[in-house]
Amino acid sequence: MDEQAEAAPQPGGRLDRRAELSEFLRTRRARLKPEDVGMPDFGRHRRVPGLRREELAQLAGVSVAYYTRLEQGNGRNVSAEVLDSIARALRLTDAEHAHLTHLAKPKQHKKKPAARAQQVRPALRQLLDLMDGVPAYIVGRRAEILAWNRMAAAVFGDWGELPVAERNWARLVFLRPDYHDLFVDWEQKAIDIVCSLRMDAGCYPDDPRLSALVGELSVKSEDFRRLWATHDVKDKAYGVKLLHHPLVGALSLNFEGFRLLGETEQTMVSYHADPDSPSADALRLLASWGADKGRLGSTDPRPPLSA
């Protein structure tokens, strides 16, 4: 087993917030070159990739000792203003800035909030069913698939046939060969999932189920270990997904993610094809094929997913 697998949390363990903070800052610093921030590059005299700690501290307007303590995982008592300065110096995106804040200044949640059941409101399940011809599903924390409609089952497979614990995008993409074949750009799909899990880890480092998921995938998937080690985070809300469906072949679908108000940890994702396109025709074929399926994700008689 390689070093990345050994460093990852083992099933049943927990994520080390201090280690997460340290590695996140180190990897963000390593990706910046001196010329990126208007500093001279002394070439062969540079022993580390990216910026040195003292260079980053200078850019952020903090002492080298202070920044070093922060990069070593000691974020106690760090102010929002200092984090903002460091984020600007590191050229962080909005998602990365939010992740840094979660790691350095974790919110004081009520007792075990991550253990609350992830339930989808009945009205949202009804809305999914009414989205005729539009593949759509709701995803929650840990990439768990909470509800879906008939068209989503036709495009991505009937998740109702899976055990509850297997209805998870990370498990499907990294552990199922058929999902590797489904996504034309599998690597990008895998990156998106890992980035989302990283954001969850920043918000809920004490979530035992998230830690168990990361530990299991780190053991079972070399691709997951490789991507997890990058410490990348992002919030991808829309785009185009290219699929190779086993029944209808090539599909080019536009997707949109909608964060549900009042359900801050749930996102509805919908897919649609361009009008009068071959993909639109293929979706209509799948709609006809899926009309006879009796078990729909959004009307699954089994209890809702629990954390």
Side-chain angles (χ1 to χ4, degrees):
M1 188 180 300
D2 60 24
E3 292 180 358
Q4 291 178 8
E6 291 176 355
Q10 298 303 307
R14 54 168 293 183
L15 294 166
D16 185 338
R17 185 186 61 79
R18 292 188 60 173
E20 293 289 309
L21 174 60
S22 177
E23 285 300 300
F24 179 70
L25 286 172
R26 185 186 62 78
T27 55
R28 299 314 89 176
R29 178 168 57 85
R31 73 182 181 181
L32 282 179
K33 298 178 180 179
E35 56 266 31
D36 295 335
V37 295
M39 287 185 165
D41 185 357
F42 297 105
R44 60 186 179 86
H45 300 294
R46 184 168 293 274
R47 297 180 179 178
V48 297
L51 295 179
R52 299 186 181 97
R53 284 176 175 173
E54 55 267 28
E55 292 170 333
L56 197 285
Q58 179 183 343
L59 286 172
V62 299
S63 71
V64 176
Y66 188 97
Y67 178 75
T68 299
R69 288 196 300 271
L70 185 62
E71 194 173 289
Q72 290 173 344
N74 186 1
R76 289 186 302 174
N77 302 320
V78 62
S79 69
E81 290 76 16
V82 168
L83 288 178
D84 290 346
S85 297
I86 292 173
R88 286 193 297 270
L90 288 171
R91 308 295 196 264
L92 299 187
T93 65
D94 289 344
E96 289 172 331
H97 191 171
H99 185 62
L100 172 62
T101 301
H102 289 144
L103 292 176
K105 298 177 71 68
K107 294 181 180 179
Q108 298 300 317
H109 298 289
K110 295 180 180 179
K111 184 178 180 180
K112 295 184 179 179
R116 294 178 306 190
Q118 293 193 89
Q119 297 187 11
V120 176
R121 290 186 287 111
L124 288 173
R125 293 179 179 271
Q126 293 171 5
L127 177 60
L128 286 175
D129 284 339
L130 291 173
M131 297 172 69
D132 189 37
V134 178
Y137 58 81
I138 293 174
V139 63
R141 293 191 310 274
R142 317 178 199 98
E144 291 177 355
I145 303 164
L146 306 179
W148 60 96
N149 63 10
R150 175 172 58 87
M151 281 302 298
V155 172
F156 297 107
D158 189 358
W159 293 316
E161 296 178 349
L162 298 177
V164 172
E166 298 302 313
R167 301 174 195 171
N168 180 290
W169 268 121
R171 292 182 184 278
L172 295 173
V173 167
F174 285 101
L175 302 181
R176 291 272 298 265
D178 49 338
Y179 279 83
H180 198 293
D181 296 336
L182 176 64
F183 292 97
V184 174
D185 191 350
W186 179 90
E187 178 82 4
Q188 187 58 57
K189 178 63 177 179
I191 289 172
D192 293 343
I193 290 172
V194 170
C195 288
S196 177
L197 289 179
R198 272 287 179 199
M199 294 183 71
D200 280 351
C203 293
Y204 293 100
D206 297 323
D207 181 354
R209 292 197 58 177
L210 175 59
S211 299
L213 175 65
V214 171
E216 179 184 357
L217 293 174
S218 297
V219 170
K220 294 181 177 179
S221 171
E222 180 180 352
D223 286 315
F224 181 84
R225 293 197 300 272
R226 170 176 57 85
L227 294 175
W228 187 254
T230 66
H231 286 262
D232 288 340
V233 296
K234 64 180 177 179
D235 193 3
K236 191 170 183 179
Y238 61 91
V240 177
K241 195 66 65 181
L242 302 180
L243 307 175
H244 183 76
H245 195 277
L247 293 179
V248 297
L251 282 173
S252 177
L253 302 178
N254 306 293
F255 70 88
E256 299 283 345
F258 306 91
R259 189 65 55 87
L260 300 177
L261 296 178
E263 305 288 346
T264 58
E265 296 164 337
Q266 293 183 10
T267 300
M268 179 180 291
V269 184
S270 67
Y271 294 78
H272 71 276
D274 291 334
D276 303 319
S277 66
S279 293
D281 294 336
L283 281 184
R284 282 191 287 270
L285 285 175
L286 284 177
S288 299
W289 168 78
D292 295 332
K293 295 187 71 65
R295 181 164 51 189
L296 307 184
S298 57
T299 56
D300 190 348
R302 282 174 282 192
L305 281 176
S306 58

